[in-house]
Amino acid sequence: SKIMYKRATASSRFGIVKHHVMTDPNLSVQAKALYAVLCCYANKNRLCWPSISTLADDLDSSQSSVKRWIKELKTHNFITRIGRKLTII
């Protein structure tokens, strides 16, 4: 018998989102949406490196908006960034 494996696709992605991030009243709804998308790209170590362009496409937004929301998440210490890699805290 042959076992078939389905390759992960964008439609099969999921992420574990921390409740305290999603309910933080000081964080914009847009930054929360970005956080949720980043969680979908994160590996088991909570690292991810999607391009700004990919994130903008996923959120149907501009790249400048994504950069602003990344800054907002960094300011609130929900993510850190080293080079292209983002760590979700």
Side-chain angles (χ1 to χ4, degrees), residues 3-60:
I3 298 174
M4 301 293 288
Y5 292 96
K6 185 178 177 186
R7 189 169 183 195
T9 62
S11 63
S12 67
R13 289 186 188 272
F14 68 93
I16 297 174
V17 180
K18 293 188 178 180
H19 183 263
H20 75 276
V21 175
M22 301 310 287
T23 58
D24 186 328
N26 299 310
L27 199 61
S28 70
V29 171
Q30 295 86 349
K32 291 174 185 180
L34 175 59
Y35 180 86
V37 170
L38 290 172
C39 289
C40 292
Y41 282 103
N43 63 18
K44 65 181 180 178
N45 298 318
R46 306 286 283 172
L47 285 171
C48 62
W49 47 94
S51 70
I52 300 294
S53 175
T54 296
L55 294 171
D57 288 345
D58 286 352
L59 293 167
D60 195 25

Side-chain angles (χ1 to χ4, degrees), residues 71-84:
K71 185 176 179 179
E72 185 178 350
L73 290 168
K74 284 170 45 180
T75 299
H76 288 88
N77 296 315
F78 292 132
I79 63 171
T80 59
R81 186 174 185 174
I82 299 173
R84 283 198 62 231

